[in-house]
């Protein structure tokens, strides 16, 4: 039995915080601290050294992007810390700020609505803890609609695949979802990376770069 | 947007019914009142101008010039230059009022008197407008009298010819033109010709006065604003916008901080309950429906909290949504979009409404055949331009939806500029700040 994933949860709304504690417990996460403000979040992470931080963006004291700032700062200090931020709106610049912290891995940017699909939400958290990147499908869709996008060169099928990659799915999971072979997915991913002009290096890293390309709107 | 009545003499002259309208009489009234003003100015200037002309003539013919005359000229010239800005002030004031006789267009206001006498006097010497008034006074005292004399001679000649049959008849006078006439019969053709020339003179008088009024307007009002120059539409009702924005933000906050998290929490609880209810249980289906409905409600609430955002904007992006608006317009609208960088959502929403409102305005007021929408980005701004080939004359003061648009743009910290000369084309330009 592997050790439980230890989580610090930051959400200023009490009811939702309780709901999320219940959800995380239900899916085998250990909530070591549940707090309601950015300073408390920082103290909790310093004290408990969790594996995962799940935080709301908008929090006291300023009720602006306090939670996100704190998360980005903490990631600078401890690259191993997995962070998932919950946002009320699609704000791609927030997602960019988060992805720019560390190497763009072990991060997630999700709309708050996603917590409603409890099992899927828990699965996303898992993937992030395991080193993945999870960008909300709505953010991805929003970016795909950008005119003159470098991603315009992609075929519809490649976009679908890239969207799933951005959500943090593995090739195998994408293959299962799209009812194709894993080899076909691998080929799509290869084409995407080629079209986005990404340097050939370790594949996982390139996948992350592809996701970053989404968020910056220009292939890096 | 344009009236059918000419507002000034030059415009009236181009109308077919000029000669039988009131305008020639107005021109005559203006000319009649010009005579005393120009005469007085001519006398004043004559003190310097007449000796100066004499000196110039003497110099040209090689005759010696008297020293006292030169000294007098220098002193008088300097004195004239010194008092000119002060003298020109009442003259210009009177002339501005008099210009109304032949030109009902308002003149831009003069510098108001601040109550500081010394400062105001000093300003007369440093103000470009004051020196333009001096130039006007000089022109009125020199060029205008010469032109009036010339016209008066022509008019007198014509009237003499007109009266020639009677003049010849009553006396032994001989009318000498390029020939001599001494009987009424001989004089008759000249009289007929003179009668035919009368309307020409009547018209010429109008032209003369119109020219004078144009110069007056140019010198008294300063350089005309470039008609097609972009004028910034003032941020009307800015306070109202602020209040509206504050209220909108309050509602958004209430939804965000109050309703949304609770609904999310409810949805989480329903989701957790579903995990523990077996699929074959009678409760499974209603629970699933409740869960789905709660999720839909979350989306709805989020859209409300963000302000109403058109669905097509969300689905198609700004350029796509603008093209869709263009496609719905009754006239041909071309959309050129060059948006290399993402546009923040609130800015996108404002831009969308700008395009939407502007095209609605074009449809209802401009009488245009074609329009073009341009979406471009500068370093810091999203620029929306809507141009149509309609009749122009769009005036924000008349509340043609432009003020509402200006308010919306002002709420986004943007600027709305408008160029709409009468006769078109109309160009609406909106600059919205975007964080890079």
């Amino acid at each position: 039995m592997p050790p439980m994933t230890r989580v610090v949860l930051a959400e200023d709304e009490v009811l939702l915080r309780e709901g999320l504690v219940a959800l995380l417990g239900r899916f085998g996460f250990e909530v070591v601290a549940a707090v309601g403000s950015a300073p408390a979040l920082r103290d909790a992470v310093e004290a408990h050294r969790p594996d995962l931080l799940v935080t709301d963006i908008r929090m006291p004291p300023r009720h602006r992007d306090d939670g996100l700032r704190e998360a980005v700062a903490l990631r600078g200090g401890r690259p191993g810390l997995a962070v998932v931020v919950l946002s009320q709106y699609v704000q791609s610049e927030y997602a960019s700020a988060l992805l720019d912290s560390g190497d763009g891995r072990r991060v997630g940017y999700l709309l708050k609505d996603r917590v409603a699909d409890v099992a899927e939400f828990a699965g996303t958290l898992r993937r992030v803890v395991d080193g993945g990147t999870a960008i909300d499908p709505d953010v991805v869709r929003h970016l795909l609609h950008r005119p003159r996008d470098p991603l315009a060169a992609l075929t519809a099928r490649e976009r679908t695949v890239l969207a799933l990659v951005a959500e943090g799915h593995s090739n195998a999971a994408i293959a299962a979802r799209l009812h194709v072979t894993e080899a076909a997915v691998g080929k799509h991913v290869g084409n995407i990376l080629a079209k986005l002009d990404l340097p050939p290096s370790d594949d996982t890293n390139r996948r992350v770069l592809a996701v970053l390309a989404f968020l910056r709107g220009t292939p890096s | 947007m344009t009236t059918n009545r000419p507002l000034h003499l030059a415009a009236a002259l181009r109308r077919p019914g000029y000669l039988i309208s009131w305008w020639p009489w107005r021109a005559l009234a203006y000319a009649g009142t010009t005579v005393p003003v120009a005469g007085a100015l001519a006398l004043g200037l004559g003190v310097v101008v007449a000796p100066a002309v004499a000196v110039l003539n003497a110099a040209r013919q090689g005759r010696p010039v008297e020293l006292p005359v030169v000294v007098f000229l220098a002193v008088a010239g300097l004195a004239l230059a010194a008092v000119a800005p002060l003298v020109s002030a009442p003259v210009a004031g009177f002339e501005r009022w008099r210009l109304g006789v032949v030109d009902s267009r308002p003149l831009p206001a003069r510098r108001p008197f601040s109550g500081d006498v010394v400062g105001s006097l000093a300003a007369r010497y440093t103000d470009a407008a004051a020196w333009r008034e001096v130039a006007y006074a000089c022109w009125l005292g020199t060029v205008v009298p010469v032109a009036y004399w010339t016209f008066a001679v022509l008019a007198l000649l014509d009237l003499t010819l007109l009266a020639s049959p009677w003049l010849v008849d009553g006396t032994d006078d001989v009318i000498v033109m390029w020939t001599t006439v001494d009987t009424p019969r001989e004089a008759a053709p000249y009289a007929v010709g003179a009668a035919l020339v009368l309307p020409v003179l009547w018209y010429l008088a109008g032209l003369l006065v119109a020219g004078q009024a144009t110069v007056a307007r140019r010198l008294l009002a300063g350089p005309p604003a470039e008609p097609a120059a972009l004028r910034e539409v003032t941020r009307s009702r800015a306070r109202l916008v602020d209040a509206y924005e504050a209220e909108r933000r309050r509602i958004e906050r209430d939804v965000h901080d109050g309703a949304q998290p609770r609904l999310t929490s409810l949805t989480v609880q329903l989701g957790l309950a579903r995990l523990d209810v077996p699929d074959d249980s009678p409760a499974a289906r209603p629970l699933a429906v409740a869960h789905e409905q709660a999720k839909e409600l979350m989306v709805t609430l989020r859209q409300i909290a963000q302000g109403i955002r058109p669905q097509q904007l969300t689905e198609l992006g700004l350029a796509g949504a603008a093209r869709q608006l263009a496609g719905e317009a009754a006239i041909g609208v071309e959309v050129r979009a060059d948006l290399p960088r993402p546009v923040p959502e609130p800015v996108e929403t404002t831009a969308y409404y700008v395009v939407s409102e502007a095209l609605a305005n074009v449809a209802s007021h401009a009488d245009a055949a074609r329009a073009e929408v341009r979406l471009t980005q500068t370093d810091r701004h999203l620029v929306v331009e809507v141009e149509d080939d309609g009749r122009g004359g769009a005036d924000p003061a008349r509340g043609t939806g432009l003020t509402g648009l200006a308010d919306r743009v002002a709420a986004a910290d943007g600027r709305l500029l408008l160029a709409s000369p009468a006769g078109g084309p109309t160009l609406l330009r909106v600059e919205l700040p975007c964080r890079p």
Side-chain angles (χ1 to χ4, degrees):
Chain A
M1 172 99 190
M4 293 239 285
T5 305
R6 301 169 71 255
V7 184
V8 166
L9 170 69
E11 162 62 57
D12 53 326
E13 186 63 30
V14 181
L15 270 179
L16 184 55
R17 191 160 70 219
E18 295 307 320
L20 285 171
V21 169
L23 189 161
L24 290 164
R26 178 75 175 64
F27 285 93
F29 293 88
E30 184 193 351
V31 182
V32 292
V35 296
S37 75
L41 143 67
R42 185 175 52 233
D43 296 345
V45 172
E46 298 295 344
H48 297 282
R49 303 183 167 273
D51 307 305
L52 170 68
L53 166 65
V54 178
T55 178
D56 188 4
I57 287 184
R58 189 157 143 171
M59 276 211 295
R62 291 183 314 135
H63 282 287
R64 303 224 342 238
D65 55 355
D66 304 49
L68 177 82
R69 282 166 180 271
E70 216 49 73
V72 169
L74 285 166
R75 263 186 60 89
R78 44 180 81 228
L81 174 69
V83 172
V84 172
V85 300
L86 302 176
S87 171
Q88 199 71 261
Y89 313 120
V90 175
Q91 292 268 24
S92 38
E93 66 268 31
Y94 285 170
S96 310
L98 193 66
L99 282 159
D100 284 344
S101 67
D103 59 357
R105 298 168 63 177
R106 289 174 181 270
V107 290
Y109 177 94
L110 295 177
L111 283 182
K112 248 186 197 175
D113 298 7
R114 301 299 158 206
V115 304
D117 295 309
V118 288
E120 200 160 317
F121 177 67
T124 306
L125 296 186
R126 273 275 165 251
R127 285 202 304 273
V128 172
V129 172
D130 293 344
T133 309
I135 309 299
D136 196 278
D138 264 18
V139 179
V140 172
R141 198 168 308 122
H142 181 73
L143 295 166
L144 279 175
H145 276 304
R146 267 206 317 248
R148 296 253 180 134
D149 203 286
L151 307 163
L154 304 185
T155 64
R157 190 55 153 182
E158 285 165 351
R159 279 172 184 237
T160 313
V161 172
L162 182 50
L164 290 168
V165 169
E167 285 171 43
H169 294 284
S170 67
N171 280 11
I174 296 171
R177 219 171 242 249
L178 299 179
H179 311 295
V180 295
T181 63
E182 202 174 329
V185 174
K187 201 162 149 229
H188 281 310
V189 172
N191 287 343
I192 292 165
L193 297 177
K195 280 187 184 176
L196 293 184
D197 201 20
L198 292 170
S201 66
D202 140 51
D203 196 43
T204 317
N205 198 27
R206 290 172 78 205
R207 288 169 75 99
V208 172
L209 287 173
V211 171
L212 292 180
F214 257 141
L215 295 159
R216 303 222 177 82
T218 51
S220 40
Chain B
M1 298 282 253
T2 51
T3 56
N4 279 328
R5 293 182 38 240
L7 293 173
H8 57 106
L9 184 58
L13 278 164
R14 291 194 285 267
R15 301 291 172 106
Y18 169 78
L19 290 175
I20 51 167
S21 70
W22 279 107
W23 282 101
W25 298 101
R26 290 171 79 161
L28 206 61
Y30 187 74
T33 50
T34 297
V35 171
V37 182
L41 285 167
L43 283 178
L45 287 168
V47 172
V48 177
V49 173
V53 170
V55 167
L56 282 174
N57 271 335
R60 229 181 30 209
Q61 293 160 7
R63 283 185 285 120
V65 180
E66 304 285 327
L67 184 66
V69 176
V70 176
V71 172
F72 165 79
L73 265 182
V75 173
L78 285 172
L80 193 68
V83 300
L86 304 180
V87 173
S88 65
V91 172
F94 180 66
E95 285 298 300
R96 288 167 71 91
W97 171 79
R98 218 166 55 81
L99 189 59
V101 176
V102 287
D103 188 347
S104 55
R105 294 173 299 175
L107 281 164
R110 303 169 82 182
R111 182 194 295 270
F113 179 62
S114 58
D116 168 17
V117 179
V118 178
S120 297
L121 286 179
R124 290 296 300 173
Y125 290 91
T126 55
D127 193 9
W131 286 104
R132 272 201 304 273
E133 286 170 0
V134 171
Y136 174 75
C138 292
W139 176 81
L140 197 58
T142 53
V143 179
V144 171
V146 171
Y148 272 48
W149 273 119
T150 312
F151 184 79
V153 167
L154 281 175
L156 202 62
L157 190 66
D158 191 62
L159 290 174
T160 312
L161 284 179
L162 197 61
S164 59
W166 292 272
L167 293 172
V168 171
D169 192 32
T171 63
D172 288 342
D173 273 353
V174 175
I175 307 297
V176 180
M177 278 291 294
W178 45 91
T179 178
T180 314
V181 290
D182 39 23
T183 65
R185 179 182 287 257
E186 279 178 350
Y190 294 105
V192 171
L196 290 177
V197 170
L198 266 184
V200 176
L201 280 177
W202 204 218
Y203 199 83
L204 210 59
L207 272 179
L208 181 72
V209 170
Q212 188 192 340
T214 304
V215 173
R217 187 175 185 84
R218 176 74 181 76
L219 286 172
L220 294 174
E226 186 61 42
L230 289 165
R231 286 180 296 134
E232 179 157 7
V233 175
T234 46
R235 294 177 34 163
S236 58
R237 310 199 296 246
R239 279 205 317 273
L240 188 67
V241 173
D242 290 347
Y244 158 78
E245 272 300 294
E247 187 63 11
R248 202 180 64 83
R249 272 197 292 270
R250 186 188 66 75
I251 293 168
E252 199 177 317
R253 216 176 26 246
D254 286 353
V255 173
H256 182 283
D257 297 344
Q260 265 176 313
R262 290 173 188 205
L263 182 57
T264 311
S265 169
L266 167 70
T267 320
V268 169
Q269 298 295 352
L270 285 170
L272 289 173
R274 279 181 74 187
L275 292 174
D276 297 323
V277 173
D279 282 348
D280 55 356
S281 148
R285 193 170 150 61
L287 195 56
V289 171
H291 188 218
E292 290 307 316
Q293 285 182 353
K295 284 198 287 187
E296 282 164 22
L297 187 53
M298 279 166 63
V299 174
T300 310
L301 202 55
R302 177 153 49 100
Q303 283 174 343
I304 291 170
Q306 279 181 286
I308 312 300
R309 187 170 154 84
Q311 196 57 37
Q312 54 198 151
L313 195 53
T314 310
E315 287 177 10
L316 306 170
L318 181 56
R323 286 201 176 86
Q324 186 163 356
L325 283 172
E328 289 163 4
I331 56 170
V333 181
E334 196 173 338
V335 178
R336 292 166 193 264
D338 183 14
L339 303 171
R341 293 188 307 282
V343 180
E345 270 190 27
V347 178
E348 219 175 31
T349 307
T350 306
Y352 175 86
Y353 280 115
V354 167
V355 174
S356 166
E357 293 271 325
L359 288 179
N361 272 342
V362 169
S364 51
H365 302 292
D367 197 13
R370 298 204 48 75
E372 189 175 84
V373 175
R374 291 186 291 272
L375 303 165
T376 47
Q377 277 174 310
T378 62
D379 288 346
R380 300 236 175 105
H381 290 93
L382 170 71
V383 180
V384 183
E385 286 178 313
V386 181
E387 191 168 13
D388 69 68
D389 63 356
R391 58 168 171 245
D395 184 359
R398 298 188 201 183
T400 52
L402 277 167
T403 42
L405 202 53
D407 289 350
R408 200 182 260 281
V409 170
D413 272 338
R415 294 202 309 159
L416 188 151
L417 303 131
L418 179 73
S420 188
T426 297
L427 171 63
L428 176 84
R429 179 183 166 102
V430 169
E431 297 166 357
L432 298 166
C434 287
R435 282 161 306 156

